[in-house]
Amino acid sequence: MNFIIWLVVGGVIGWLASVIMHTDGQQGLFLNVIVGIVGAAVGGWIISPLVGVGTINQDIFNIGALLVSLMGAIILLALVNLVRRGSVR
């Protein structure tokens, strides 16, 4: 059951990050889930040690973990935009 919740929450986080970064028209459901999950991993590597909060990849589903995962997804999309277009936006 945690796996299904992890996929759904990852999809929502990926979608929110794509809306914030204005890439929501380019991504579908599958890419939103991937961005959310990989973004949570990025947030776990970069942000989590700084603030001391886990991510959704660690089966933690609280506001702090969701925010760390969202920030990681935004960082991931910014890096993808930087490589693809040469600018963050």
Side-chain angles (χ1 to χ4, degrees):
M1 190 66 173
N2 265 351
F3 181 73
I4 295 170
I5 294 171
W6 180 61
L7 288 176
V8 170
V9 172
V12 170
I13 287 173
W15 173 75
L16 284 174
S18 69
V19 168
I20 291 169
M21 295 300 292
H22 304 290
T23 60
D24 54 330
Q26 303 166 2
Q27 296 180 185
L29 176 66
F30 181 72
L31 279 178
N32 282 335
V33 172
I34 298 299
V35 166
I37 292 171
V38 174
V42 170
W45 292 326
I46 296 173
I47 301 168
S48 188
L50 298 175
V51 296
V53 177
T55 66
I56 63 166
N57 288 349
Q58 299 164 341
D59 289 332
I60 301 171
F61 296 107
N62 59 28
I63 297 297
L66 295 174
L67 290 176
V68 167
S69 299
L70 178 63
M71 291 303 298
I74 291 171
I75 291 169
L76 175 68
L77 285 177
L79 290 174
V80 168
N81 286 342
L82 187 63
V83 169
R84 185 185 300 163
R85 294 189 225 164
S87 69
V88 174
R89 286 203 168 197

